[in-house]
Amino acid sequence: MLDGVFITHLKRIYHEQGDIYHAIKRSEDSFSSFGEAYFSTVNFLDVKGWKKHQEMVMNIVVPVGSIKFVLFDDRPESNTKNNYFEIVISASNYVRLTVPPGIWMAFQGITPKQNLLLNIASIEHDPREAISVPLNEICYNWEG
């Protein structure tokens, strides 16, 4: 685990007419603030990233499909500097990934069907507060 990253187990409530998936509550310790919520899809085996937010806290859930997230910590003062963290989130591993500012993140679609994530962000999108680099800038084997 990386400093400041949280994994929160979430409730998935079975209902005969369609299940209910919890995402986040304001009363939870990992909640900081609300800026916006958005969905993003990633195609099978495609990789999106690397991106590092300077201000945004991301709260990510995957209600559809399966997505592999890879985080890399290059924060100078972090106890987990130069470490990676990997997690696959899906309906069968239904958790929320909370990522603080300053950590690189990329993600890959794992299932051939639709892979959908929800990010409940602490601030509204501002393209000036995030840094993106090509996949080959951070050493990670996406084919392994």
Side-chain angles (χ1 to χ4, degrees):
M1 184 63 71
L2 302 179
D3 283 348
V5 174
F6 294 97
I7 301 296
T8 305
H9 293 274
L10 299 173
K11 288 184 182 179
R12 178 180 173 193
I13 301 167
Y14 171 78
H15 189 281
E16 62 189 35
Q17 295 170 317
D19 293 351
I20 300 157
Y21 292 79
H22 281 226
I24 195 166
K25 295 178 184 177
R26 185 167 53 176
S27 60
E28 294 174 325
D29 291 340
S30 58
F31 178 82
S32 62
S33 62
F34 176 75
E36 70 177 6
Y38 65 85
F39 292 95
S40 180
T41 62
V42 59
N43 297 325
F44 179 55
L45 298 182
D46 284 349
V47 179
K48 288 185 174 181
W50 294 98
K51 183 179 270 190
K52 174 169 59 171
H53 288 280
Q54 302 296 303
E55 299 173 29
M56 180 187 290
V57 176
M58 295 179 287
N59 290 285
I60 297 170
V61 297
V62 178
V64 177
S66 183
I67 301 176
K68 177 181 181 179
F69 294 88
V70 179
L71 309 179
F72 177 67
D73 187 355
D74 71 345
R75 297 171 294 174
E77 304 300 318
S78 175
N79 290 326
T80 55
K81 183 178 180 191
N82 295 324
N83 288 333
Y84 290 86
F85 174 73
E86 301 175 13
I87 187 170
V88 175
I89 304 175
S90 64
S92 62
N93 183 35
Y94 191 60
V95 299
R96 182 179 61 251
L97 173 63
T98 302
V99 182
I103 293 181
W104 291 99
M105 185 176 81
F107 54 93
Q108 180 178 42
I110 300 297
T111 58
K113 298 179 182 177
Q114 187 176 40
N115 299 290
L116 176 76
L117 70 82
L118 167 64
N119 180 20
I120 303 164
S122 63
I123 63 172
E124 291 184 28
H125 175 73
D126 177 356
R128 298 167 296 176
E129 70 84 40
I131 302 166
S132 296
V133 297
L135 280 179
N136 64 0
E137 294 265 331
I138 295 175
C139 185
Y140 183 81
N141 180 8
W142 287 99
E143 298 180 22

